Amino acid sequence: DIIDKMNYSGYFLIVSDFIREAKRRGILVGPGRGSATGSIVAYLLEISDVDPLRYGLIFERMLNPERASPPDIDLDFPDDRREEIIEYVKEKYGRDHVAQVATFNTMGARAAIRDVGRVMNIPLDKVDTLAKAVPPGTSLQEACELVPELAEAQQEDTEIARMLGIAQRLEGLARHASVHAAAVVDFLGLKTLTACARAIEAIRQSQGVGLDLLTIPQDDPKTFELLCRGDTIGVFQLESEGMQTLLRKLQPDRFEHLIAAVALYRPGPMQHLDEFCEGRHGAAIEYLHPALEPILEETYGVITYQEQVMQIAVKLAGFSMPQAEIIMRAMAKKQLGKMQQMKPKFIQGCIDNGIGEGVAQEIYSRMESFSSYGFNKSHSTAYALVAYWTAYLKANYPSEFMAAHLSTVMDNSEDVGKYVNECRRMGLQVCGPTVNRSSAQFTARDGEVIFGLAAIKNLGVPTAQAIVAEREANGPYKGLGDLCRRLPGSKVPRTAIELLIKAGGLDEFGERNALLAGLDSLYAAGQKYQQDQITGQNSLFSEVSTEEMPMFEEQLPRVPEMPQAERLRLEKELLGLYVSSHPLIEKQEQLAQRTTAEIRELAEFGDGTPVIVGGIIGQTKHYITNSGAPMLFLTLEGLDKHLETVLFPSVYEKYRNKINEGGVVVVKGKVDRKGGRNDDGREVKLLCDWIKPLAEATPVSEQQRKQTEQGRLNGPMQFMGRKQPEPAPLDISAPVRTVFIELDATECGEQSLRRIKQVIEANRGQQPVVLKLTGGNGARQVELGEGYMVNCSEEFPIQIRRCPAVITLWEQEADR
């Protein structure tokens, strides 16, 4: 009746129509979004896939005849198929009835420098360095006055001065118009749905399993084990460090816990996380009035959702649902006038229902406090369902899910590095790009994750697709010359092949420097061959049979091999991470002596803990304080984790000459847990006291190590300080080979254990580890927990035998 009275019947039916069409085409549609999820009509029309009755969602949160503002229905589609449904709507309802909103992007200081530098043909690396030196939020003129690097470049180089002068005049102008990301009845493209859809297809192809995410069990043990461990990198809405910490505290065992987690982890309600978790684990819950218990029981006495505020107003004060929605919205938006108008009515309604005035006042005060940050349960439920889908896929089909997820972030090399490292932590083998195995996207094959060619920076999806299409049509490439002969320059230019070589995509055809040295001649010959084929003329290649081509192509120039440091630098630049090795591996012994903690451990330390960590200087960002002083944010990269490090003006001024991108450094500072990228109070940063190149750093003292350990949040040290996570149930049907590491007990000190721990954590896998200490007062064995299982590949034994005190190691099969 409400829908009909407010003239929304057509709206609901149109939305239902194109969602049904999307599903008919096999397009994965999000289960719901926003307040529309609270409508049983939306559920019955398949607009939403969340049953509002099951989860206590409220229709009036969406559509209220007493509220003037109209509702909307937000929809999530895979971002690679969103346009398909928009086109359907245009065809069915008329193109003149479908409008998308334009947005205008203005030219910022950095963009102006890059655009002008490109037009003036100034080397890209020089332009990029200057652009990065501009602090966020400052004008180019301000930056030139405050950043010494820019001022020096402007004074010493007339071409740079001219470039900066032109860029300064262009700054602030409209650069281009683009289409708004949503703004068609709110059609939203969600990469997570793209990843889910691709994972489901990969699972069907590789394992013959047809998954329907709407029918998967919501009590899957593997999924909840993953959630309780906080292994949620790549899981929708749950992957921040703070959310991982919350999940470990909460130990969710039902879907409703996920709904609450999504709602609670916001800047306001975070202050009640501990209260919620304590209630979940059995702490006594006190209610201001017995009538609140049925409303707040599911959230352990904590007002978590906007819908709960509405229910309190209805059940305790006798409000109608539309009135309750108005008071909730007034509180949430701090509309003081409306709140003052409705407070006496609320208090009187409570009194009329037998609730004392003092208790009613306190309840109203609590409602005011909570509703200012209370979350929409309808929205939280729908997003919790998507979170559960991704957690289920990661827990049950890890290689397919991670490959699909990586494919959605290929345009961001930093994200690629992050998720590849997560694959390695999970024990998945990651294969770098290879022209004869890779697809354009990331793929999963035999439990392996294979780099997508399109993930190579600046290669591009069309070029990657052209390389794969030719291989699939005419077989594997036999060498660099064969590849140049078969790929037309219009689709795969010389620069693309150079990128392939530098990224390691052609390693099977020869050493990288040799391939680069031979590229020009082989590419020219290949293009000539293609032209001759078109014109019908003979060529050098036309006289060579296909069988003879590999022998011909192996005659690459003899040049010195590419140094490992250069090879790794190029991998990091083009792929977002180091693939064939890591610059820090050979530095581990030095770093262990000169640091008191690893980057990966900092989440375990309390705010203000003094630590000394080591890593590689990654991205740097300049910033200007309100007083006009320059400071710096830099990314410190460890073996498998990054850390944002803050250099305040006085520290930056003192150590700015020690900061070189790509340099291995040691940093002393204090753990900062007060604020992070998401202002959630949980992301850990490091506030720098000093920074030194590794070569200048000296070994740390035992006193420094003790100061750091005293700040650890997890209590007593277990295997050198890391509290082992609760073990997950193992597959008892599968035999497993336990890795035994024999140590000389008389030589086994803190330094050797730290090194062994580092090697184990760099080789995560599924094999249990037992330390066997011999010598001294006899022998004893220590079985390490689930947090220290390894993959005993060829690399692991080599690395572990180099550790101090290690005598030998072996594998022994045993049933789990």
Side-chain angles (χ1 to χ4, degrees):
D1 288 346
I2 295 295
I3 292 171
D4 184 54
K5 178 182 176 182
M6 297 184 70
N7 295 320
Y8 277 102
S9 299
Y11 179 61
F12 272 76
L13 291 170
I14 289 170
V15 174
S16 174
D17 167 59
F18 61 72
I19 287 181
R20 289 172 188 260
E21 175 64 18
K23 293 178 178 178
R24 187 187 69 78
R25 298 185 184 197
I27 298 175
L28 182 62
V29 183
R33 214 182 208 269
S35 59
T37 311
S39 167
I40 190 69
V41 175
Y43 177 63
L44 294 172
L45 289 174
E46 298 183 37
I47 292 171
S48 164
D49 292 310
V50 175
D51 179 354
L53 300 184
R54 176 178 176 182
Y55 299 109
L57 309 181
I58 296 174
F59 171 76
E60 286 83 359
R61 179 63 186 78
M62 176 203 180
L63 199 60
N64 184 350
E66 296 189 25
R67 189 182 79 230
S69 58
D72 64 350
I73 298 176
D74 295 336
L75 305 167
D76 289 315
F77 295 97
D79 62 348
D80 61 347
R81 300 195 69 180
R82 170 178 172 264
E83 288 298 325
E84 192 176 328
I85 294 303
I86 293 178
E87 189 60 29
Y88 166 79
V89 173
K90 290 177 180 178
E91 292 293 333
K92 179 157 187 175
Y93 298 100
R95 293 182 177 273
D96 56 337
H97 287 71
V98 180
Q100 291 185 260
V101 176
T103 60
F104 294 91
N105 293 341
T106 57
M107 192 175 292
R110 291 182 174 184
I113 290 174
R114 289 193 168 100
D115 282 359
V116 175
R118 184 169 58 250
V119 172
M120 292 178 64
N121 292 318
I122 297 174
L124 181 61
D125 57 344
K126 183 184 290 188
V127 172
D128 191 54
T129 300
L130 293 170
K132 286 180 177 178
V134 177
T138 61
S139 69
L140 191 48
Q141 181 177 348
E142 292 170 334
C144 289
E145 293 171 356
L146 296 169
V147 179
E149 292 88 342
L150 287 172
E152 291 168 8
Q154 198 172 28
Q155 291 170 4
E156 296 171 2
D157 190 324
T158 55
E159 187 179 42
I160 294 297
R162 181 167 175 260
M163 178 190 76
L164 292 175
I166 296 171
Q168 192 171 322
R169 294 199 296 274
L170 294 175
E171 187 179 1
L173 296 179
R175 187 176 189 274
H176 62 273
S178 59
V179 177
H180 191 277
V184 184
V185 203
D186 285 347
F187 283 65
L188 301 170
L190 190 63
K191 286 185 176 181
T192 300
L193 294 183
T194 305
C196 289
R198 289 176 178 171
I200 290 170
E201 178 59 22
I203 293 163
R204 185 189 66 77
Q205 291 183 4
S206 63
Q207 303 189 36
V209 176
L211 280 182
D212 180 351
L213 292 177
L214 291 175
T215 61
I216 59 175
Q218 285 196 357
D219 58 354
D220 177 61
K222 283 187 177 180
T223 302
F224 280 100
E225 287 159 16
L226 177 144
L227 292 168
C228 288
R229 293 194 305 269
D231 287 346
T232 50
I233 298 295
V235 175
F236 183 65
Q237 293 283 304
L238 305 181
E239 69 173 329
S240 71
E241 286 184 8
M243 184 60 87
Q244 292 174 46
T245 301
L246 169 60
L247 291 170
R248 293 186 192 111
K249 282 185 178 180
L250 180 60
Q251 293 291 292
D253 64 2
R254 68 200 73 159
F255 180 68
E256 286 77 5
H257 284 156
L258 289 191
I259 301 174
V262 171
L264 280 167
Y265 202 73
R266 309 285 159 175
M270 292 186 69
Q271 60 187 296
H272 300 285
L273 292 180
D274 289 340
E275 183 183 346
F276 187 95
C277 291
E278 287 165 6
R280 180 263 185 274
H281 292 299
I285 301 168
E286 295 183 3
Y287 298 95
L288 287 172
H289 190 275
L292 291 173
E293 184 169 355
I295 299 172
L296 302 181
E297 184 178 21
E298 68 166 324
T299 53
Y300 309 106
V302 177
I303 300 177
T304 305
Y305 309 118
Q306 294 173 348
E307 287 85 345
Q308 288 174 318
V309 173
M310 294 170 64
Q311 289 172 316
I312 291 170
V314 169
K315 294 188 177 180
L316 275 69
F319 279 39
S320 67
M321 269 294 183
Q323 290 173 326
E325 198 272 343
I326 290 172
I327 192 173
M328 180 280 299
R329 189 172 292 274
M331 289 178 172
K333 295 187 176 182
K334 302 188 184 301
Q335 296 172 334
L336 300 179
K338 282 187 179 179
M339 289 163 61
Q340 289 174 354
Q341 290 175 9
M342 302 196 79
K343 182 176 180 178
K345 183 175 181 180
F346 178 88
I347 302 298
Q348 187 59 51
C350 289
I351 293 172
D352 293 345
N353 284 327
I355 300 171
E357 183 176 353
V359 174
Q361 293 276 4
E362 178 63 22
I363 292 172
Y364 188 86
S365 176
R366 292 272 186 98
M367 287 169 59
E368 279 187 304
S369 170
F370 280 86
S371 63
S372 63
Y373 53 72
F375 203 66
N376 178 339
K377 188 182 181 185
S378 294
H379 186 65
S380 188
T381 302
Y383 265 22
L385 186 55
V386 179
Y388 183 85
W389 288 354
T390 52
Y392 178 89
L393 291 170
K394 184 179 181 183
N396 291 275
Y397 304 96
S399 58
E400 290 86 354
F401 173 73
M402 291 306 295
H405 186 75
L406 276 159
S407 294
T408 67
V409 298
M410 289 194 307
D411 57 346
N412 186 317
S413 58
E414 186 175 337
D415 280 348
V416 169
K418 171 184 174 181
Y419 294 115
V420 167
N421 283 330
E422 173 65 4
C423 289
R424 290 170 171 169
R425 190 202 64 78
M426 294 164 64
L428 297 174
Q429 185 71 30
V430 180
C431 176
T434 165
V435 74
N436 276 331
R437 291 189 69 204
S438 295
S439 297
Q441 312 285 337
F442 280 81
T443 51
R445 193 175 305 158
D446 301 324
E448 210 177 36
V449 174
I450 303 174
F451 247 87
L453 294 180
I456 299 173
K457 191 174 181 180
N458 297 325
L459 187 74
V461 174
T463 299
Q465 290 174 336
I467 294 168
V468 174
E470 167 59 25
R471 184 188 74 212
E472 291 178 345
N474 297 305
Y477 299 104
K478 298 172 183 177
L480 176 58
D482 181 47
L483 183 133
C484 292
R485 178 175 65 88
R486 290 165 56 181
L487 294 171
S490 59
K491 292 185 177 179
V492 184
R494 181 205 168 283
T495 53
I497 300 176
E498 181 179 342
L499 289 172
L500 278 171
I501 295 171
K502 289 179 176 179
L506 302 183
D507 279 0
E508 64 189 283
F509 302 148
E511 195 277 325
R512 295 184 196 180
N513 259 357
L515 291 167
L516 288 171
L519 175 58
D520 283 340
S521 60
L522 288 172
Y523 184 79
Q527 297 307 298
K528 185 177 187 306
Y529 171 82
Q530 292 181 29
Q531 188 61 36
D532 289 348
Q533 291 295 100
I534 295 171
T535 60
Q537 298 175 9
N538 291 328
S539 70
L540 175 64
F541 280 129
S542 65
E543 296 171 4
V544 182
S545 69
T546 304
E547 290 74 18
E548 294 170 337
M549 286 294 289
M551 289 296 294
F552 176 81
E553 290 167 345
E554 286 177 7
Q555 297 173 13
L556 294 170
R558 291 187 178 182
V559 295
E561 288 190 3
M562 181 179 289
Q564 184 185 39
E566 176 66 4
R567 188 168 67 247
L568 294 178
R569 185 191 70 79
L570 288 170
E571 288 176 2
K572 183 70 188 324
E573 178 185 328
L574 297 176
L575 303 177
L577 73 161
Y578 306 103
V579 175
S580 58
S581 184
H582 195 289
L584 291 182
I585 288 178
E586 61 184 29
K587 310 283 188 184
Q588 285 301 288
E589 191 63 36
Q590 291 174 273
L591 286 170
Q593 295 171 357
R594 290 161 174 77
T595 60
T596 61
E598 297 175 48
I599 289 174
R600 65 158 73 230
E601 295 179 306
L602 293 199
E604 299 177 5
F605 295 99
D607 191 52
T609 300
V611 295
I612 302 174
V613 295
I616 298 172
I617 294 179
Q619 189 177 28
T620 59
K621 294 181 180 177
H622 293 80
Y623 184 78
I624 303 298
T625 66
N626 291 336
S627 62
M631 60 181 290
L632 187 74
F633 293 86
L634 68 81
T635 301
L636 191 66
E637 301 177 356
L639 272 171
D640 58 0
K641 199 164 186 65
H642 296 174
L643 171 70
E644 186 172 28
T645 305
V646 183
L647 283 76
F648 289 113
S650 60
V651 177
Y652 179 47
E653 180 62 31
K654 188 173 181 180
Y655 295 100
R656 65 190 312 155
N657 294 331
K658 306 287 186 183
I659 299 167
N660 296 303
E661 195 165 326
V664 180
V665 295
V666 172
V667 183
K668 181 181 185 298
K670 297 178 183 65
V671 173
D672 175 33
R673 303 176 66 92
K674 294 176 183 175
R677 290 189 190 92
N678 304 318
D679 294 326
D680 53 23
R682 299 296 173 126
E683 300 287 350
V684 174
K685 293 181 182 178
L686 185 67
L687 306 182
C688 177
D689 293 330
W690 54 251
I691 183 169
K692 299 177 182 177
L694 178 60
E696 297 179 14
T698 56
V700 299
S701 66
E702 286 304 311
Q703 179 62 30
Q704 287 173 311
R705 291 194 191 280
K706 287 178 182 177
Q707 286 178 343
T708 295
E709 282 303 325
Q710 287 170 358
R712 196 179 289 274
L713 298 175
N714 288 339
M717 296 197 328
Q718 298 184 25
F719 189 44
M720 292 307 299
R722 180 177 293 280
K723 186 175 181 182
Q724 299 175 20
E726 291 296 319
L730 299 173
D731 179 3
I732 59 174
S733 65
V736 63
R737 293 177 67 81
T738 298
V739 179
F740 287 82
I741 303 174
E742 185 175 355
L743 306 174
D744 183 344
T746 62
E747 298 290 331
C748 186
E750 184 174 341
Q751 180 179 324
S752 58
L753 285 176
R754 283 178 66 86
R755 178 67 184 128
I756 292 166
K757 175 187 166 194
Q758 290 165 349
V759 174
I760 288 173
E761 291 180 338
N763 293 271
R764 298 283 193 177
Q766 298 297 317
Q767 294 177 254
V769 176
V770 174
L771 301 183
K772 184 174 182 179
L773 289 88
T774 58
N777 298 321
R780 64 190 180 97
Q781 292 189 170
V782 179
E783 184 172 353
L784 304 184
E786 291 288 324
Y788 298 98
M789 298 178 78
V790 302
N791 173 21
C792 194
S793 61
E794 293 180 7
E795 191 70 23
F796 178 74
I798 295 171
Q799 294 177 11
I800 206 71
R801 285 190 175 102
R802 292 174 180 165
C803 296
V806 171
I807 300 171
T808 187
L809 87 160
W810 68 93
E811 296 178 78
Q812 180 175 315
E813 189 166 302
D815 291 331
R816 295 189 178 184

